[in-house]
Amino acid sequence: MREPDGGKTAILAEAGGIPGTDPALRRGTQAWTEWLIPGVGTTLGEITLLAAACSPYQQIEIGESAHFGRIFRLDGRVMSTEADAWIQHELMVAPMAATHGAPRSALVVGGGDGGSAFELLRIPTMREVVVAELDGEVVRLAREWLRGIHQGALDEPGDPRLSLAIGEGLGLMEAFARAGRQFDLIVYDLTEADDGSPAAALFSPHGLHTARRCLAPGGAMSLHLGPPLHRPETARRLLARLRHVFRHVAPLTTFVPAYGALWGIALASDALDIAAQPADKIAARLQQWQLEHKLRAYHAHLHPALFVHPRHVQAIFDSGSRPA
């Protein structure tokens, strides 16, 4: 067992290995704990480990619990669960897609569980979705175990609009930029932006500038800010970098039960003021796309509310105003 270090370092405790553990955890299940900050964490209990692999890049685990269903974890960080992955995936895709109005191409950087790809493929104007995933082993395990998250988006044979590019995300984006290949939407569906993450370079100023080069005129991108109340400096740093690169940056928050915290997401664009879109325009778009009754989290009247925050949260977001 490792001591909490302020990152999302996880403890994988064998059932019954901790004094006072609930008796229900002593039947071969596990408890997974992530530390948001020292002394504050989230534990998902009664997990049955279904699959695990150690790739050249990371430790991959698929678990299952009665409450969360299938659970996808990388290096001790819960990425997504069947019970609530749709919350983050809808909010990373639908607000910017509906504001754009007619996105035809999208790039998912990371996103090997297929959840973001599924949301993008639901948009009827979409003609191409590229998933640039570092680790082919993630995709293999997701195809086998996480259909409840990707909803068939990763199936083989599958939707001909979807293609996979296996490799380091920043290198793939640099190659796209050199070739002049651009996308209407970019989703950074990645591990968090700390120094120990394989994705850290993508959140650097160079990584964000490269993403901007890969955006078509009128395009937009989304990324995770993490838990702003627990790690305000991370949110400030990312917002400062985004505001140095993009004209419009709109942070939103939601609650993802598996993360156990208020969660931040940022939407960024040079052309689209996503936060300013009126609900009636969003409603018309979702109706046109026949998605208004299919989305489980996002809806037109929620759209403007996503970008209105309590003062203590807004103060964190407003303070991320200088490049870092």
Side-chain angles (χ1 to χ4, degrees):
M1 180 182 296
R2 290 178 286 177
E3 292 297 320
D5 60 4
K8 288 186 73 178
T9 303
I11 296 173
L12 179 61
E14 289 294 336
I18 303 174
T21 299
D22 189 303
L25 292 179
R26 298 188 184 129
R27 297 193 293 268
T29 59
Q30 301 173 344
W32 291 354
T33 297
E34 296 185 48
W35 298 101
L36 296 165
I37 56 175
V40 178
T42 300
T43 297
L44 308 186
E46 300 186 52
I47 296 171
T48 300
L49 185 64
L50 301 177
C54 187
S55 79
Y57 306 103
Q58 56 207 341
Q59 176 70 27
I60 310 161
E61 293 165 294
I62 309 292
E64 185 172 44
S65 77
H67 183 77
F68 286 101
R70 300 281 170 86
I71 305 166
F72 167 45
R73 194 164 79 145
L74 293 178
D75 286 337
R77 305 165 185 233
V78 171
M79 298 289 103
S80 54
T81 81
E82 286 181 329
D84 57 17
W86 45 272
I87 300 173
Q88 55 171 314
H89 291 142
E90 283 188 17
L91 295 182
M92 294 190 80
V93 171
M96 65 177 180
T99 300
H100 184 286
R104 296 178 60 85
S105 60
L107 172 66
V108 181
V109 185
D113 62 10
S116 291
F118 167 69
E119 297 299 335
L120 290 161
L121 290 169
R122 290 212 277 183
I123 300 168
T125 60
M126 192 63 65
R127 295 293 175 264
E128 177 190 28
V129 176
V130 178
V131 177
E133 167 59 49
L134 171 69
D135 196 340
E137 189 68 5
V138 168
V139 177
R140 185 188 72 79
L141 289 171
R143 282 174 170 155
E144 182 175 357
W145 295 101
L146 299 179
R147 201 174 196 279
I149 293 174
H150 67 74
Q151 301 294 322
L154 297 180
D155 286 357
E156 290 185 309
D159 194 313
R161 296 174 295 168
L162 180 76
S163 61
L164 290 170
I166 302 299
E168 193 273 320
L170 182 55
L172 290 169
M173 284 203 307
E174 288 171 338
F176 290 149
R178 287 193 299 269
R181 191 172 181 185
Q182 295 184 316
F183 303 86
D184 294 318
L185 304 177
I186 295 177
V187 179
Y188 265 23
D189 194 357
L190 298 161
T191 55
E192 291 174 73
D194 56 54
D195 291 338
S197 166
L202 286 156
F203 295 97
S204 69
H206 172 66
L208 295 173
H209 276 287
T210 303
R212 183 174 179 267
R213 291 173 61 200
C214 290
L215 276 177
M221 75 173 295
S222 62
L223 56 77
H224 290 284
L225 293 175
L229 295 179
H230 295 87
R231 298 188 211 139
E233 287 306 318
T234 297
R236 291 187 185 109
R237 182 172 65 252
L238 287 174
L239 287 170
R241 291 176 182 175
L242 285 167
R243 287 167 177 151
H244 188 58
V245 175
F246 294 97
R247 180 181 178 189
H248 300 289
V249 177
L252 64 87
T253 59
T254 189
F255 184 79
V256 181
Y259 296 165
L262 185 73
W263 200 256
I265 293 169
L267 310 178
S269 174
D270 279 334
L272 304 178
D273 188 352
I274 298 170
Q277 293 302 300
D280 59 344
K281 288 189 176 181
I282 299 295
R285 187 70 62 202
L286 296 181
Q287 184 176 13
Q288 178 187 6
W289 290 348
Q290 299 182 11
L291 287 178
E292 70 271 31
H293 300 303
K294 296 178 181 178
L295 297 171
R296 301 169 67 185
Y298 180 70
H299 57 84
H301 294 291
L302 177 65
H303 183 96
L306 285 171
F307 308 100
V308 179
H309 310 290
R311 287 178 176 170
H312 63 295
V313 177
Q314 189 66 54
I316 294 170
F317 293 157
D318 287 346
S319 62
S321 59
R322 296 185 301 275

